[in-house]
Amino acid sequence: SINKLVEVMDQPQVEEYLIPCVARLSAGEWFTSRSSAAGLYAAAYGKVTDAIQSKLRAGYEALCKDETPMIRRAAASNLEALVARIEKDHVLSFAIPNFRRLADDDQDSVRLLTIEPLVAITKRLTTDECKQYLGESVQRLCVDKSWRVRYMVADHFVAIATNIKDRELQEELVNVAISLMHDNEAEVRGAICTQLDGLADLAAPEAIVARLQAPLQELVEDPSQHVRATLGKHIGSLCRVFGKEGTIEHLLPLLLRLLKDSFPDVRLNIISKLDAVDSVVGIDSLSQSLLPAIVELAEDKQWRVRLAIIEYVPLIASQLGMQFFDEQLSNLCMSWLGDPVYSIREAATVNLKKLTDVFGVDWARSTIIPKILVMANHPNYLYRITTIFAITTIAPSVTPEIVRDLILPSLEGLVNDPIPNIRFNVAKSLVPLTMALRKSPETAPLEGTIVRPTLARLEEDRDPD
């Protein structure tokens, strides 16, 4: 709250009210006051004279040297904000020495908080300055004995390496990243997997391809399911570096193994990122290698995996073409309409609308609409109500003539369905169907001759809802 107030205070107000408050808190006997003071320095720094700024730097340095670990933690966590406000000369004379002091602290809870200030400092320095002042500290943090510190390094790895800008040091950091992929702690291995995209830009593509193959092979078989899930989410970003041939040779086999992983989140993450693979290798190569596994996952026992497959189908269809889709995927798409999970059935109806947009109205009229309407006579109530949802969803994408000739006659039979919920949804479906009929002067009169009489009959329905 105080930091918010400082934003609207002028210099005299800050010097009269805030600076004495910061000084009093910084000299407090209890650690709570001193740790609170650390969060006020950055806000005050930009609104005071040079002389007071010098005192603030001295006061903050005292907090960095405090004998209480909780104070040093507060100083480390707020150093990033202060670095952004101080002048370049003071980054070298004040920020870097205090960063080094905190990075060498005997408490890992302090050291892990120095990673974000490190990123902020590297943004302010030139390439040579980064190498001169920070090179050793970065390398020590990367191999810190505490896994929590290594985790923070892994989580910010690309930001650190990119800001350092020195190509030689970046090459060395790639080796550090590979060592983090072999770390004893699963959390560290998972964190470095999130950096794969940026990591690929730290060295020449040929070198990255050669150096990452072995670690990726091991990560695919990692004993931690969460590491494999994180890898599945980010491995696709490497396709642009591996290129088409490299992806087909090295990455597609790994993707296939991840698609067959026993943990559903791994399979889900791979499916959700297949577009990155498709953009590099093309849908033909992708379908030859992965389509059998994708079709198998379409019947996965985890409904979220099935849902991800459904959402990916329109992309596959648009790339593979109508004939391939009709031969390989058409029956699969229709089977989802009878899935026991409502979210799958709902997504399947949206999927059919997208496919209609891809392949056109004529295809929908001859291929999917007849199959949907057959379900209107199914003995299972679930199929009949899904028919209503499906025709309601695709109605905006088809012509008024299709609504008149195919959909309305089938809906007539459902008006007298013994299940009240179906009759209720028939009434709701007449709204989008009427909107479709109004698009043509030939079909618009059907609103008065068919739709309104049907609604009138439903108004007298024996069910009060």
Side-chain angles (χ1 to χ4, degrees), residues 178 181-182 209-220 254:
I178 292 173
M181 293 178 187
H182 296 97
V209 171
R211 292 155 80 176
L212 285 184
Q213 288 180 37
L216 290 175
Q217 292 274 0
E218 294 183 20
L219 288 170
V220 166
L254 302 182

Side-chain angles (χ1 to χ4, degrees), residues 394-410:
I394 67 172
S397 297
V398 299
T399 63
E401 290 74 21
I402 291 178
V403 175
R404 177 192 65 195
D405 299 339
L406 298 177
I407 295 178
L408 280 181
S410 296

Side-chain angles (χ1 to χ4, degrees), residues 151 154-158 187-199 227 230-231 233-235 237:
Y151 169 83
D155 198 43
H156 295 79
F157 193 87
V158 171
E187 287 82 356
V188 178
R189 299 195 300 273
I192 198 63
C193 284
T194 66
Q195 306 292 300
L196 286 175
D197 188 17
L199 182 64
V227 173
T230 306
L231 177 67
K233 190 173 184 178
H234 295 278
I235 191 172
S237 62

Side-chain angles (χ1 to χ4, degrees), residues 318-362:
S318 63
Q319 304 272 351
L320 292 177
M322 187 186 304
Q323 182 179 352
F324 185 93
F325 177 84
D326 288 343
E327 293 174 357
Q328 301 287 336
L329 298 174
S330 178
N331 291 333
L332 183 63
C333 289
M334 297 305 301
S335 69
W336 285 322
L337 292 174
D339 196 279
V341 178
Y342 172 76
S343 295
I344 300 297
R345 299 194 301 274
E346 182 184 37
T349 61
V350 175
N351 179 52
L352 293 178
K353 180 182 184 301
K354 292 179 179 178
L355 291 172
T356 300
D357 295 335
V358 171
F359 292 141
V361 174
D362 291 338

Side-chain angles (χ1 to χ4, degrees), residues 53 161 190 203 457:
Q53 286 181 346
R457 286 165 54 193

Side-chain angles (χ1 to χ4, degrees), residues 159-213:
I160 296 171
T162 303
N163 291 336
I164 284 178
K165 297 178 281 287
D166 181 74
R167 199 64 180 176
E168 182 181 344
L169 188 54
Q170 287 179 340
E171 291 274 357
E172 295 177 12
L173 288 176
V174 172
N175 293 329
V176 172
I178 292 173
S179 70
L180 292 173
M181 293 178 187
H182 296 97
D183 198 273
N184 292 331
E185 297 295 332
E187 287 82 356
V188 178
R189 299 195 300 273
I192 198 63
C193 284
T194 66
Q195 306 292 300
L196 286 175
D197 188 17
L199 182 64
D201 297 324
L202 298 180
E206 300 80 8
I208 288 291
V209 171
R211 292 155 80 176
L212 285 184
Q213 288 180 37

Side-chain angles (χ1 to χ4, degrees), residues 256-316:
L256 189 58
R257 284 155 64 183
L258 291 170
L259 273 174
K260 296 180 179 179
D261 196 276
S262 59
F263 186 50
D265 283 7
V266 180
R267 307 192 296 271
L268 188 63
N269 287 344
I270 285 290
I271 296 162
S272 65
K273 299 297 180 180
L274 281 179
D275 55 337
V277 184
D278 169 46
S279 64
V280 174
V281 303
I283 196 67
D284 291 337
S285 298
L286 186 64
S287 62
Q288 292 173 12
S289 303
L290 301 183
L291 190 59
I294 292 173
V295 172
E296 183 180 339
L297 289 174
E299 300 175 354
D300 196 277
K301 63 181 180 181
Q302 295 289 336
W303 70 268
R304 287 184 177 86
V305 176
R306 300 198 301 277
L307 182 62
I309 290 289
I310 293 173
E311 292 171 348
Y312 187 65
V313 160
L315 174 62
I316 298 177

